[in-house]
Amino acid sequence: MKGSPIKPSERIIMLDVIRGFALFGILLVNMPAFHSPNFINQLYSVDVPYEGLDAVVYAFLQLFVQVKFFTIFSFLFGVGFYLFMKRAEAKGLRMKSLFFRRASILLIIGLLHLIFLWFGDILHLYAVGGFLLVAFYNRMPKTLIKWAFSLLAIYLVLLSMTFFIPVDMMDELGLGNADDVLPTYIYMYESAPYLEWLSYRIKVEVIPILINIPFTLIPVFAFFLFGLYAGKKGIFEGSAYAPFIKKVQIVTGTLSIPFVICLFLLLQGLWDVGVYKSAATDLFKNLSGFSLCFFYMATLTRLLQVDAWKKRLSWLQFVGRMALTNYLAQTVICFTLFNIFNLYNHVSLSLGTAIAIVIFIAQAAWSKAWFNSFQFGPMEWLWRTFTYGHISPLRRQSKAS
């Protein structure tokens, strides 16, 4: 029996809206790395001195955007995995082999993206996590929650290990001085020919990122499990869980307040933890990211249950429906803009953020126009074609209203 991708009528619009919202946050987070040497600055824990509007934008991104949106995307991957498996199972398909093929294609796309365009790819990580997620499909919801919280606890403990290193050993464990590598890194992005730039990136960015997969996968997989739990419970498929969603919103919103305050104090230098500043900042950035992730999703879900807000936010669904296409398009647009047009390292944080907003608005308009004539995004259509092994109609039979 041949499989087929889900029809537009089978989609859960709420998930598409949340996915579109998450894609905007991801672009805001990624933009500084597109136009500036953020990779080296983060690797060497360099405190970049921002002033004026840039300082305000930096604080906003750190407090309310960083870590808050890849977690939403990871959660939605878990929900999407469950819906994919359930629908394949209902059609009598070999759901595991079908998903393995789907994840393998995603891995190829992600590796191509990572190697040839940009170090910040998340798709290869999702594909690797997807292979592991299959083993949890038939597990009980309570088991999924236990695993998810346990993985987050392990991740936070690993992040906190730096605090147990004596102060006099911290300098010895440092990677060195960023000033020694920064000029070469900037040159490669500003002036080097593509093949030279690619060779340099493979050594400096790609290989370390691939080696670090076991660590970076921990929080991603935890949120896969949270999403799988939500899918199994049908949290987004009816109004029965409205009280639960409200409770999640209140609890995670309340939890976020002290985490955000602590992060703010660290960023502003009002809480002096000495050589442990970078480690403390990472810890509270992740704590606030985990809690605000659920707060954002719960808030959006509740807003979408109100007709007026559902209408205001409905445009995000088109961005979310072709999230893979838009995610990759963001890289292509930014790579062209900053590298080919020689703007790399010449764009301020606030200007870069403004550019991100313009790009996303353009993507939203393009996505809506695209779905007037087509059923799937272009990359989504290719992904489905290779997954199911046959070509599905791309063009709509009649234009959407």
Side-chain angles (χ1 to χ4, degrees):
M1 179 179 178
K2 279 190 174 183
S4 60
I6 64 171
K7 301 174 183 177
S9 59
E10 294 177 298
R11 300 188 68 91
I12 301 175
I13 303 302
M14 183 180 297
L15 296 179
D16 287 328
V17 171
I18 298 174
R19 190 177 289 110
F21 174 70
L23 196 65
F24 177 52
I26 286 173
L27 178 57
L28 290 177
V29 170
N30 290 342
M31 182 54 73
F34 281 130
H35 64 67
S36 301
N38 261 34
F39 182 85
I40 297 298
N41 290 334
Q42 292 178 7
L43 184 64
Y44 288 85
S45 301
V46 176
D47 278 330
V48 180
Y50 293 109
E51 298 179 353
L53 183 58
D54 281 354
V56 175
V57 171
Y58 176 75
F60 175 80
L61 293 176
Q62 297 298 308
L63 294 174
F64 302 109
V65 182
Q66 280 282 357
V67 187
K68 286 74 175 175
F69 287 89
F70 88 85
T71 43
I72 296 178
F73 232 66
S74 302
F75 178 94
L76 294 174
F77 185 95
V79 178
F81 163 79
Y82 173 76
L83 295 175
F84 178 92
M85 296 288 279
K86 184 181 73 170
R87 287 162 178 164
E89 188 176 20
K91 294 176 182 178
L93 305 175
R94 293 184 298 175
M95 55 180 183
K96 290 185 179 180
S97 60
L98 198 63
F99 182 79
F100 278 129
R101 190 192 307 170
R102 179 177 173 83
S104 298
I105 296 165
L106 186 65
L107 179 61
I108 293 171
I109 295 172
L111 288 175
L112 292 174
H113 185 220
L114 170 68
I115 294 170
F116 294 102
L117 283 177
W118 190 54
F119 70 85
D121 173 77
I122 195 71
L123 303 178
H124 71 284
L125 197 61
Y126 281 16
V128 172
F131 292 131
L132 301 176
L133 194 58
V134 173
F136 288 82
Y137 176 66
N138 291 317
R139 303 301 291 269
M140 296 294 291
K142 288 185 178 179
T143 303
L144 298 176
I145 286 294
K146 289 178 181 177
W147 269 89
F149 277 114
S150 297
L151 286 173
L152 285 187
I154 290 171
Y155 181 73
L156 292 172
V157 168
L158 291 174
L159 279 180
S160 303
M161 293 300 291
T162 305
F163 297 118
F164 297 96
I165 301 175
V167 175
D168 55 357
M169 291 181 60
M170 289 294 290
D171 291 335
E172 297 178 16
L173 295 175
L175 294 172
N177 193 336
D179 293 337
D180 296 334
V181 297
L182 199 54
T184 302
Y185 188 89
I186 293 174
Y187 162 76
M188 287 296 170
Y189 272 86
E190 282 186 329
S191 308
Y194 177 78
L195 291 179
E196 183 182 355
W197 172 81
L198 178 61
S199 176
Y200 176 81
R201 281 193 58 252
I202 289 174
K203 292 182 291 185
V204 173
E205 296 176 346
V206 176
I207 292 176
I209 285 169
L210 293 177
I211 291 174
N212 207 38
I213 282 179
F215 178 71
T216 54
L217 185 60
I218 296 174
V220 168
F221 195 75
F223 278 87
F224 281 4
L225 295 176
F226 283 126
L228 179 54
Y229 170 86
K232 279 179 171 286
K233 301 293 284 186
I235 288 175
F236 295 100
E237 297 185 61
S239 58
Y241 281 91
F244 172 76
I245 293 172
K246 181 179 180 180
K247 183 177 180 180
V248 169
Q249 182 192 34
I250 294 171
V251 171
T252 56
T254 304
L255 276 175
S256 299
I257 294 172
F259 296 151
V260 170
I261 290 174
C262 288
L263 181 56
F264 175 79
L265 294 175
L266 286 165
L267 292 172
Q268 298 301 313
L270 301 175
W271 181 12
D272 185 9
V273 291
V275 294
Y276 301 109
K277 179 181 179 180
S278 178
T281 301
D282 285 343
L283 177 62
F284 283 103
K285 194 183 298 180
N286 278 274
L287 285 170
S288 62
F290 298 156
S291 57
L292 280 176
C293 159
F294 287 113
F295 176 75
Y296 289 163
M297 286 192 292
T299 301
L300 269 176
T301 302
R302 295 193 67 201
L303 287 174
L304 289 168
Q305 293 168 353
V306 179
D307 289 339
W309 276 103
K310 187 175 182 180
K311 185 177 181 180
R312 292 188 188 109
L313 297 170
S314 62
W315 60 276
L316 285 167
Q317 68 176 290
F318 302 106
V319 187
R321 282 178 61 183
M322 51 193 294
L324 177 60
T325 297
N326 282 318
Y327 173 72
L328 294 172
Q330 288 172 359
T331 298
V332 174
I333 292 169
C334 292
F335 180 85
T336 302
L337 181 63
F338 299 122
N339 296 90
I340 295 181
F341 289 112
N342 298 318
L343 294 177
Y344 187 83
N345 204 37
H346 297 288
V347 174
S348 67
L349 184 63
S350 52
L351 178 57
T353 302
I355 292 172
I357 294 171
V358 171
I359 290 173
F360 188 77
I361 292 173
Q363 285 190 309
W366 178 67
S367 298
K368 191 176 188 305
W370 177 272
F371 283 112
N372 283 333
S373 302
F374 301 98
Q375 297 189 77
F376 313 106
M379 287 303 300
E380 285 74 12
W381 178 76
L382 285 174
W383 192 15
R384 284 161 167 76
T385 296
F386 285 111
T387 297
Y388 292 97
H390 62 89
I391 299 176
S392 301
L394 176 59
R395 185 173 289 276
R396 288 182 178 276
Q397 292 182 356
S398 60
K399 287 190 175 183
S401 58

